[in-house]
Amino acid sequence: MTQTTPDAPVRRQRAQIKVRTLRTDRWWIAPLLTFLALTAFLVYGVWAILDGSYFIDPYIAPFSSPCLSTSCVEGARLFGWAPIGDWYTLPPGLLILGLPGGFRLTCYYYRKSYYRSFWLSPPACAVQEPHGKYTGETRFPLIMQNIHRYFFYAAILIGAILSYDAILAMVHKPQGLGSWILLVNAVLIVAYTLSCHSCRHITAGRLNHFSKHPLRYKAWTFVSKLNAKHQPLAWASMFSVMGADLYVRLVAKGIIAFPFA
Amino acid sequence: MSYKAKFKVWRGEGGEGKLEDFTVEVNEGEVVLDIIHRLQATQAPDLAVRWNCKAGKCGSCSMEINGKPRLGCMTRMSTFTEEETITVTPMRTFPVIKDLVTDVSFNYQKAMEIPSFTPPAGVRPGEYRMQQVDVERSQEFRKCIECFMCNNVCHVIRDHEENKTAFAGPRFLMRIAELDMHPYDVADRQEAAQEEHGLGHCNITKCCTEVCPEHIKITDNALIPMKERVADRKYDPLVWLGNKIFKRSSK
């Protein structure tokens, strides 16, 4: 008979269940779909950054906006401005890629999704992860996730620029399908950006006395409502930015050429 | 309408044990805990299970049903098909005493390590005056019934026993957040959350939120806000500079 005194070694043991999980549902579908979707986004992003067809008046592809170097086509430059000058000859998208990319990479939702689907840490709830050791976000490089708020500040700027691009397209070509696609994309990007957990913290989450800051509390309440939709907004804005970018490039290449494109 | 269901139940003392097969009657409207009680009454009188209220409010009957952390009393048999074999095991993260009963004293130890509510000096009980909006956030966390399923499912300690000394688990990081957000608490919770209670181990994969029977948004409303407060305190030079210039306190 096994000893059962509190000090007996066996009393300090968990149930010795030898399988990784006893879950009977298809728990692997969600991480698999996430893996495929995020991989598709990364592959598309690499192609788009290297692709030269990023502008056709009045549309600019979101992956290449703002276009800041002299190598940018005249109409594609933000306010006609080229602060980077002519020394920069690489694709213009490479210059700004780190800002929206970093925002998504350090986003609390995307962290969950790629920790689960790429790093399998864990692949799903109550499914054992394959790693022997785990230190989470306590060390470099993952401790750098704490700078998410700085990417949020940059993402606000990017969101404003994409909105400006969309408004400009609407003004110059209100009948164009591309103008509407860029507008929907800008709305989703801005909504995703504002629904960010760092934004929620900055508006008033850091306060302990909401009653002393009624305006900030109101803003926090609004952001909290958006924040509850952070996951769907993350996906919607990811597909919309990919879709809008591809659309502009296809129009620029002449592959899409109907009258109201 | 009743039917015979196939069950596999973990039997054993301490960590040693095995899944035993049972075929047992199930009636309309029953929950898994009813079936465990029927097993006790008819086939396995020495089957150990911890339970109390049978209403999802005491947090006693936490177990794993088909591999998922659930309350036995809140898991309806109607959610399974009649052909399905239902596997019932104890919570994996804690040592087993017998059968489905685990030793959850890890959680009480962690609770004791968190300094209790600390009001400002000179404010006595009965003198606190707070607006509802100031305490609403903390009140959500007070719904916790201490079933410890969030700590059980958290892979930081579920898959890594060695992290138990450094990591308090979502239940107690939520407790720290509750106190840190409290308008009258003056203790330094942020530094301790990161350095002593292991907030940095959390990689916000949200399993704690998924299993919470009280539907507390543990990750979004407690852990992430706490991570942001820690970032203010330890990782954000702009906030540090602002605090110095405007002589703001972090509380």
Side-chain angles (χ1 to χ4, degrees):
Chain A
M1 186 71 189
T2 316
Q3 294 179 66
T4 55
T5 59
D7 298 329
V10 73
R11 265 288 294 271
R12 295 198 293 271
Q13 277 184 6
R14 307 151 173 239
Q16 301 298 299
I17 299 166
K18 303 296 180 199
V19 290
R20 282 181 69 204
T21 184
L22 288 167
R23 282 182 65 165
T24 52
D25 57 334
R26 287 185 285 177
W27 56 264
W28 45 270
I29 286 185
L32 177 66
L33 291 178
T34 308
F35 175 84
L36 293 174
L38 293 181
T39 305
F41 183 63
L42 290 174
V43 170
Y44 177 80
V46 170
W47 173 79
I49 289 297
L50 300 175
D51 179 59
S53 315
Y54 55 83
F55 180 73
I56 179 157
D57 198 32
Y59 306 147
I60 176 160
F63 273 51
S64 299
S65 179
C67 213
L68 299 173
S69 66
T70 316
S71 64
C72 299
V73 189
E74 188 78 24
R77 295 177 192 169
L78 183 67
F79 311 127
W81 194 41
I84 301 296
D86 54 9
W87 62 269
Y88 183 83
T89 50
L90 293 172
L94 262 182
L95 271 176
I96 45 106
L97 168 75
L99 300 178
F103 182 56
R104 286 187 192 253
L105 190 71
T106 58
C107 160
Y108 285 97
Y109 168 66
Y110 280 105
R111 271 144 81 178
K112 172 198 163 186
S113 61
Y114 65 73
Y115 285 142
R116 280 196 185 196
S117 59
F118 282 74
W119 196 239
L120 310 177
S121 180
C125 301
V127 178
Q128 192 178 13
E129 59 175 62
H131 312 290
K133 200 169 171 240
Y134 174 87
T135 53
E137 297 180 343
T138 58
R139 296 179 184 180
F140 185 81
L142 293 183
I143 201 165
M144 298 304 289
Q145 305 278 27
N146 286 300
I147 61 170
H148 180 53
R149 58 189 58 188
Y150 286 95
F151 285 115
F152 164 70
Y153 301 138
I156 287 280
L157 279 180
I158 299 287
I161 290 165
L162 293 185
S163 304
Y164 174 75
D165 289 344
I167 291 166
L168 218 57
M170 284 301 285
V171 169
H172 288 106
K173 200 174 176 184
Q175 80 283 15
L177 178 60
S179 303
W180 290 95
I181 289 176
L182 288 177
L183 187 68
V184 169
N185 175 53
V187 168
L188 287 171
I189 292 278
V190 169
Y192 165 64
T193 307
L194 292 179
S195 70
C196 157
H197 290 84
S198 285
C199 176
R200 191 181 181 214
H201 175 73
I202 291 160
T203 48
R206 67 195 306 275
L207 303 174
N208 285 351
H209 294 88
F210 285 156
S211 54
K212 290 182 186 168
H213 303 85
L215 283 179
R216 288 182 71 179
Y217 175 62
K218 222 169 187 173
W220 179 84
T221 311
F222 171 72
V223 173
S224 295
K225 280 181 190 158
L226 273 181
N227 181 256
K229 308 271 179 233
H230 198 47
Q231 174 176 336
L233 284 170
W235 284 113
S237 62
M238 191 184 94
F239 286 117
S240 79
V241 76
M242 214 160 37
D245 191 87
L246 181 64
Y247 183 84
V248 172
R249 286 173 201 276
L250 292 180
V251 175
K253 287 174 194 297
I255 297 171
I256 293 179
F258 56 87
F260 298 106
Chain B
M1 211 174 78
S2 65
Y3 69 98
K4 298 280 185 192
K6 291 185 282 296
F7 267 69
K8 281 180 182 291
V9 182
W10 182 263
R11 302 296 312 272
E13 295 192 24
E16 293 164 5
K18 63 180 193 317
L19 288 168
E20 277 185 20
D21 292 309
F22 295 96
T23 302
V24 57
E25 183 186 321
V26 173
N27 299 311
E28 197 172 344
E30 287 184 327
V31 293
V32 169
L33 187 60
D34 291 323
I35 311 308
I36 297 294
H37 283 158
R38 182 162 298 123
L39 282 177
Q40 273 184 328
T42 58
Q43 302 178 48
D46 61 340
L47 173 63
V49 59
R50 185 185 282 128
W51 69 285
N52 192 358
C53 75
K54 263 199 80 182
K57 287 293 161 197
C58 73
S60 301
C61 62
S62 303
M63 53 183 74
E64 300 198 2
I65 300 166
N66 280 353
K68 285 185 182 173
R70 307 287 298 266
L71 291 179
C73 71
M74 299 302 284
T75 308
R76 288 180 171 276
M77 286 303 298
S78 58
T79 56
F80 306 105
T81 62
E82 293 188 11
E83 295 72 36
E84 211 169 334
T85 300
I86 298 157
T87 309
V88 185
T89 50
M91 287 193 283
R92 271 216 201 191
T93 305
F94 309 120
V96 175
I97 296 174
K98 186 176 187 305
D99 302 335
L100 302 178
V101 178
T102 51
D103 177 356
V104 292
S105 50
F106 161 82
N107 300 287
Y108 303 127
Q109 181 60 39
K110 292 295 174 186
M112 279 191 290
E113 289 169 11
I114 298 169
S116 56
F117 171 65
T118 312
V123 181
R124 287 173 303 179
E127 293 180 349
Y128 308 146
R129 296 292 178 269
M130 290 170 275
Q131 299 289 316
Q132 179 58 32
V133 290
D134 293 335
V135 289
E136 253 164 12
R137 273 188 300 178
S138 299
Q139 282 176 338
E140 180 191 5
F141 312 141
R142 303 292 291 188
K143 291 195 299 179
C144 176
I145 58 173
E146 302 221 308
C147 60
F148 303 127
M149 286 201 294
C150 56
N151 276 7
N152 170 52
V153 80
C154 180
H155 70 113
V156 178
I157 46 179
R158 183 183 176 94
D159 297 341
H160 303 278
E161 178 74 23
E162 71 280 6
N163 285 335
K164 276 189 173 171
T165 47
F167 186 63
R171 196 294 163 240
F172 297 105
L173 292 170
M174 180 174 80
R175 170 71 178 149
I176 294 170
E178 176 194 330
L179 290 166
D180 197 56
M181 290 171 186
H182 195 290
Y184 270 93
D185 187 85
V186 294
D188 179 5
R189 310 278 174 189
Q190 293 157 14
E191 184 76 23
Q194 187 78 346
E195 301 303 330
E196 293 167 34
H197 303 290
L199 182 63
H201 282 80
C202 169
N203 69 345
I204 42 153
T205 39
K206 283 197 171 180
C207 289
C208 50
T209 305
E210 278 186 31
V211 302
C212 180
E214 284 292 311
H215 308 294
I216 302 171
K217 300 276 184 281
I218 303 173
T219 319
D220 284 323
N221 291 347
L223 304 186
I224 294 175
M226 204 58 214
K227 272 181 174 269
E228 285 293 313
R229 284 166 177 241
V230 168
D232 271 355
R233 179 68 174 274
K234 292 177 71 79
Y235 307 112
D236 189 335
L238 282 184
V239 172
W240 175 83
L241 198 64
N243 287 345
K244 288 281 173 209
I245 293 170
F246 301 109
K247 295 191 170 146
R248 290 186 307 214
S249 102
S250 59
K251 287 297 286 185

